[in-house]
Amino acid sequence: MMLVILTERLAQILEWLKSVAGYSVVESNSKALNVSRTQRGKDRPPLDCFPRMNHSLRLAVGQSSSLSELSTQADDCILVDGKNVSFLKLSDLSGDSKKDLCRRLVASNGQDVFLMGISYSEAQSLTNCRDFPKTSSQTLPRCRSYRLRKTQLMADPFDTLSSVVNQVNNKNRTLYFSRHGESEYNVLGKVGGDADLSSRGRQYADCLAEYVNSTLGSIPGFKLWTSCLKRTIQTAKNIKAPQEHMEALNELDTGVCDGLTYEEIAERYPIEFAARDDDKFHYRYPEGESYFDLLLRVQPVLNRLKVEDNVMVIAHQAVLRCLLAALLNKDEKELPYIHTPLHTVMRLSFKPDDGGRHLDLIPLSIECVETHRAKPENCSLTRTAEEALITVPAHF
């Protein structure tokens, strides 16, 4: 049975099909959609704007004129050219939706799958928070379609964010995590970048080195992993242990917002700012990454952490959230808001005999700014600037 998936979350579902379900893109098409500002957010664009990918699919799509009409057929099958065609409308990859998609993929019996939807950029699909895109040639709405072919076995289709937890080494062991010392960008409230440590960040680096060298350095096999960014390498400089620098541990890519403060992002890109607040896990910065992307990027690191003992990871706020969420069985709603304070050693102990995993925070007494931003109550596009910025931490 041929499966046609209709979605407003193209990036998320396409990535899942490739990284989890074992599909590869064999054909893709894109066509600009001319929708006036007054039309955006009202009627859905007609489905006939999609480039036809083959005769069977052309006839299948021709049965209805719009995504909204096709959504009523989501559980129906139609016969086209002697083949059964099944339509599935997906708004996200929540538990029930993912299970339904997995069942449909199994029922398709290895046939090519078609993915279709509307997006506002080459890299990002429409989020629930968007009404219309920024006035830029890079964000005009486009009809996109992909034909995907099964190329490898599917991973556990009902895996969760924390599936790695079920495969970890069951022996007693300990992992250590720390963010880099306070950076110059932290002091100014800026996101992203490759800034140097601030004066207090350098003090933390010295304090962390003294702590690690005196308490952990003598442990056989102790090792240190950092990102390839200056602030983590500078933080680890004086620690006496074998060090490995990994690009997979680099901070989440903030794309066009790199080097901006939250206040500047809210002023320049209010729609993007609201979209991220509405769905922080799946939101992707224009020309950047989402937490979902980052979780996939750090998967090789997680695979190694499944069996490692006495490793310290010095990385970044978003990266440590992904690692800790996977290791502590947190879900995608909790992940982007896990508190990983600066100037603190986070000790994760695996003790199967007395209940599993224990996370202890060991603050080192060096002052620093707070970088944790809670989710604001109002994530709508009509909120005021004050409402949008109410949870932004203080900075200079």
Side-chain angles (χ1 to χ4, degrees), residues 250-262:
N250 286 358
E251 181 59 303
L252 185 146
D253 186 349
T254 52
V256 299
C257 296
D258 190 74
L260 301 180
T261 65
Y262 283 125

Side-chain angles (χ1 to χ4, degrees), residues 103-305:
R103 284 192 290 267
R104 297 296 188 92
L105 292 175
V106 172
S108 69
N109 197 28
Q111 293 191 44
D112 288 358
V113 170
F114 296 86
L115 179 65
M116 296 181 164
I118 308 298
S119 74
Y120 285 143
S121 73
E122 288 295 326
Q124 183 176 358
S125 61
L126 176 65
T127 71
N128 291 334
C129 230
R130 279 195 181 85
D131 183 13
F132 49 83
K134 303 188 296 295
T135 54
S136 165
S137 61
Q138 297 298 317
T139 54
L140 292 175
R142 302 187 70 84
C143 302
R144 301 190 186 282
S145 52
Y146 301 88
R147 180 159 63 95
L148 299 104
R149 182 165 298 159
K150 188 76 170 175
T151 56
Q152 54 186 311
L153 294 176
M154 182 185 296
D156 178 4
F158 305 119
D159 64 345
T160 64
L161 171 65
S162 57
S163 60
V164 65
V165 174
N166 298 321
Q167 308 168 37
V168 298
N169 184 337
N170 288 324
K171 296 180 180 179
N172 289 352
R173 60 198 187 90
T174 306
L175 302 174
Y176 301 87
F177 302 90
S178 172
R179 288 176 64 187
H180 52 79
E182 178 189 77
S183 74
E184 293 175 349
Y185 266 24
N186 291 146
V187 174
L188 299 173
K190 295 183 177 184
V191 302
D194 191 15
D196 291 307
L197 295 181
S198 68
S199 59
R200 295 188 300 195
R202 292 191 294 273
Q203 291 178 48
Y204 175 72
D206 292 338
C207 189
L208 179 64
E210 181 180 352
Y211 171 81
V212 172
N213 293 339
S214 62
T215 61
L216 305 177
S218 60
I219 297 176
F222 178 78
K223 58 182 75 72
L224 183 65
W225 300 348
T226 80
S227 76
C228 294
L229 299 179
K230 289 189 294 186
R231 52 194 184 274
T232 63
I233 295 174
Q234 290 170 359
T235 302
K237 180 180 178 180
N238 295 321
I239 295 177
K240 298 175 182 178
Q243 298 190 17
E244 185 175 350
H245 309 305
M246 307 178 185
E247 288 188 358
L249 290 174
N250 286 358
E251 181 59 303
L252 185 146
D253 186 349
T254 52
V256 299
C257 296
D258 190 74
L260 301 180
T261 65
Y262 283 125
E263 291 86 350
E264 290 169 332
I265 298 171
E267 180 180 1
R268 299 185 194 183
Y269 309 113
I271 296 174
E272 300 293 337
F273 200 57
R276 188 167 195 262
D277 282 342
D278 184 61
D279 187 356
K280 193 173 180 180
F281 180 77
H282 293 112
Y283 171 83
R284 178 183 286 119
Y285 280 103
E287 301 180 22
E289 291 180 301
S290 66
Y291 270 96
F292 180 78
D293 298 326
L294 181 57
L295 187 63
L296 294 175
R297 169 152 64 84
V298 301
Q299 190 63 47
V301 179
L302 282 169
N303 289 338
R304 293 178 63 179
L305 290 176

